[in-house]
Amino acid sequence: MLVAFGAAFGDSDDITWTPSGRFAASSPAFASVNKFKGGDDFLLFSSFNALRPGHIKMVRGIKDAVKNNTVDQLSATYLLTGDFQWPNDVQVIPHDVFNNKSIVVPDGFLVPGHANGGVYVVEVGNLVETMVQRTVTLTSNTDGYFYHMGEWVDMNGDGRLDFVTAKSNAKLDGGRLVWLEHPEGGLDVENWTEHEIVAGPDVGIKVVQDLAQYPNEIVVFGAEFFNQKLSVQRVSTVDGSLVARGVIDDTEILDAYSVDYVDLNSDGKHQLLVNNHEKSSKTNGIWTYSVPEDLINGKYVKNTVATGFKNAFSLTVPGMSPGFPYAVWPKTSSEGRKRAHIIVAGDGDYSFHAYHPNGSSSLYNYGETLAINYEGTIGSLAWSDLDRDGYLEIWVPNYDGDYIEMIKTSPASNDATYIQ
């Protein structure tokens, strides 16, 4: 068992982190806890491999498993979608996009034989959610581009939600921020019209809507991995065109991997939570950037969260780390009142990390609460509060270990210490 030490963290919560069961799952990669409208919670994850096609899988019954402490009895159901190249951030589509139960699959990666990706929608049954009705292709390119993630936004004022995403061909200046126009026929139409917004964004993006200073616009922050750049784009939601583009960091960030827009201090001021993805522990890390009022011309101040992630040795492909960082409030009622904790999928360092805010110094200063070495790639994390006890469950997919583990959080006693 692992628990966090109980030292006072100032204006955050002291938390115990306890591994509480694992179940078999073949090559789990991107994971999220989801539900369809009117349905039950489930865990959704993608699965891929350099030597075989990729798939998406669903784990049902997770709420009862958490409540009854039977996580180790869970199993994954393979959705009969047909083969994907390399499915990435699979997500349930908001019900009002198509008025059905469906999943978006951004697909493809730079691995040889898997680079001709696309964006797909998987429609499932209204009653049997593991029964695939059809898989619809939204993209038409077969030219070595792949997609990682996206958001649904009405980009042209026609009342239909379009898909904003970035695509990459793994080349310098090869990334493109695009939107796929939702046609009047919806999913009865394949190969939606693709509109290029701007060159640059390639892998990680964060779409922010409804900023008061930018009416009729969205803001897209881009972690441009192949350009080694962190960027910001203002985009019109009247006609989907670029309004302005700025560069936040193109000197220090190196291989930018992900960017999120979060209020870490629960004070109404947002920061960018950013990481790069490097082979060397001397250059990798996680940082925050303050967000100015003028997103294009204002000054973003960089602060360090953590550095020095050490990649595990590999005989084949060299490891890269860290993976995605996430801002979470393990005590759910603290969101908006106290400072966030940060959890990290270490990816090439094979570890799960948790960081607590140090209340005695800078608002952006964090200390490591714990690190669990899983001896396998940890590419993403998901979380939930399925037992409604006010504390999160963290779901940790171990890609190489072929399982997903659940870590339960709870209040820490003042005399708690590390136990492993």
Side-chain angles (χ1 to χ4, degrees):
M1 181 176 70
L2 290 147
V3 299
F5 62 94
F9 294 160
D11 51 359
S12 70
D13 299 302
D14 300 352
I15 298 295
T16 297
W17 309 73
T18 308
S20 302
R22 63 177 61 167
F23 60 94
S26 177
S27 303
F30 289 82
S32 60
V33 174
N34 274 285
K35 66 163 57 177
F36 295 114
K37 183 178 180 180
D40 296 325
D41 298 275
F42 57 84
L43 187 69
L44 183 70
F45 69 93
S46 62
S47 176
F48 45 66
N49 187 285
L51 301 178
R52 59 178 184 265
H55 305 287
I56 58 175
K57 300 176 183 179
M58 185 183 295
V59 183
R60 300 185 57 79
I62 57 175
K63 180 181 289 187
D64 287 342
V66 170
K67 288 181 177 179
N68 299 326
N69 197 28
T70 55
V71 169
D72 57 350
Q73 297 178 26
L74 289 169
S75 61
T77 299
Y78 160 66
L79 300 188
L80 295 174
T81 59
D83 295 338
F84 294 112
Q85 296 282 332
W86 195 276
N88 293 302
D89 189 22
V90 295
Q91 293 286 344
V92 164
I93 298 173
H95 188 80
D96 58 351
V97 177
F98 301 115
N99 293 316
N100 66 9
K101 296 181 177 181
S102 53
I103 298 164
V104 64
V105 185
D107 188 37
F109 194 46
L110 54 76
V111 177
H114 298 265
N116 289 332
V119 177
Y120 304 90
V121 170
V122 176
E123 182 182 355
V124 301
N126 190 47
L127 296 177
V128 183
E129 295 173 345
T130 55
M131 183 70 70
V132 174
Q133 303 299 303
R134 57 177 171 170
T135 299
V136 179
T137 306
L138 303 190
T139 48
S140 58
N141 64 283
T142 56
D143 52 0
Y145 275 92
F146 49 88
Y147 302 76
H148 268 79
M149 59 191 66
E151 296 285 343
W152 295 93
V153 184
D154 183 356
M155 296 298 294
N156 56 0
D158 64 1
R160 296 186 292 271
L161 296 178
D162 312 293
F163 194 64
V164 179
T165 184
K167 65 178 185 178
S168 174
N169 61 1
K171 297 178 181 179
L172 180 66
D173 296 326
R176 298 290 185 270
L177 182 66
V178 301
W179 61 280
L180 305 175
E181 184 176 354
H182 187 160
E184 187 174 357
L187 291 180
D188 291 331
V189 179
E190 294 199 292
N191 302 330
W192 290 8
T193 300
E194 179 182 288
H195 300 271
E196 181 176 324
I197 300 169
V198 67
D202 51 21
V203 177
I205 62 170
K206 176 62 180 180
V207 177
V208 182
Q209 303 183 53
D210 301 322
L211 291 180
Q213 69 268 43
Y214 302 123
N216 300 316
E217 293 180 14
I218 59 171
V219 172
V220 182
F221 294 100
E224 301 183 17
F225 180 87
F226 297 101
N227 291 342
Q228 296 193 327
K229 186 180 298 183
L230 184 64
S231 66
V232 56
Q233 285 75 204
R234 291 172 50 197
V235 184
S236 168
T237 54
V238 176
D239 60 8
S241 65
L242 180 71
V243 177
R245 170 175 161 89
V247 174
I248 299 169
D249 185 348
D250 62 356
T251 58
E252 298 179 349
I253 190 61
L254 301 179
D255 296 315
Y257 193 59
S258 74
V259 54
D260 201 1
Y261 179 80
V262 293
D263 180 1
L264 288 170
N265 302 318
S266 294
D267 60 2
K269 298 178 182 179
H270 284 77
Q271 301 81 37
L272 301 182
L273 180 61
V274 180
N275 72 299
N276 64 10
H277 196 57
E278 304 290 327
K279 297 176 184 177
S280 173
S281 61
K282 296 180 180 179
T283 56
N284 65 20
I286 300 168
W287 299 272
T288 63
Y289 292 75
S290 63
V291 177
E293 179 72 13
D294 183 343
L295 298 184
I296 303 299
N297 302 301
K299 183 179 181 180
Y300 292 78
V301 179
K302 183 181 180 183
N303 292 275
T304 299
V305 174
T307 58
F309 295 86
K310 296 181 179 179
N311 289 300
F313 175 75
S314 173
L315 286 171
T316 53
V317 179
M320 300 181 76
S321 64
F324 302 116
Y326 308 87
V328 298
W329 284 261
K331 183 179 180 180
T332 59
S333 62
S334 291
E335 185 170 0
R337 298 190 307 109
K338 293 188 176 184
R339 293 172 61 198
H341 293 240
I342 294 174
I343 56 175
V344 180
D347 207 313
D349 82 344
Y350 289 1
S351 296
F352 163 81
H353 303 264
Y355 295 87
H356 61 266
N358 287 325
S360 59
S361 54
S362 165
L363 286 176
Y364 306 107
N365 186 24
Y366 279 78
E368 188 168 51
T369 309
L370 80 164
I372 304 175
N373 186 344
Y374 280 95
E375 300 182 347
T377 304
I378 308 299
S380 73
L381 301 170
W383 57 92
S384 57
D385 180 19
L386 298 173
D387 57 7
R388 299 295 186 264
D389 68 348
Y391 286 85
L392 295 182
E393 306 97 24
I394 312 296
W395 302 86
V396 184
N398 186 334
Y399 177 86
D400 301 295
D402 290 324
Y403 65 82
I404 297 175
E405 179 159 86
M406 190 268 282
I407 297 176
K408 189 71 184 78
T409 68
S410 58
S413 62
N414 289 332
D415 58 351
T417 56
Y418 283 116
I419 300 175
Q420 186 169 3

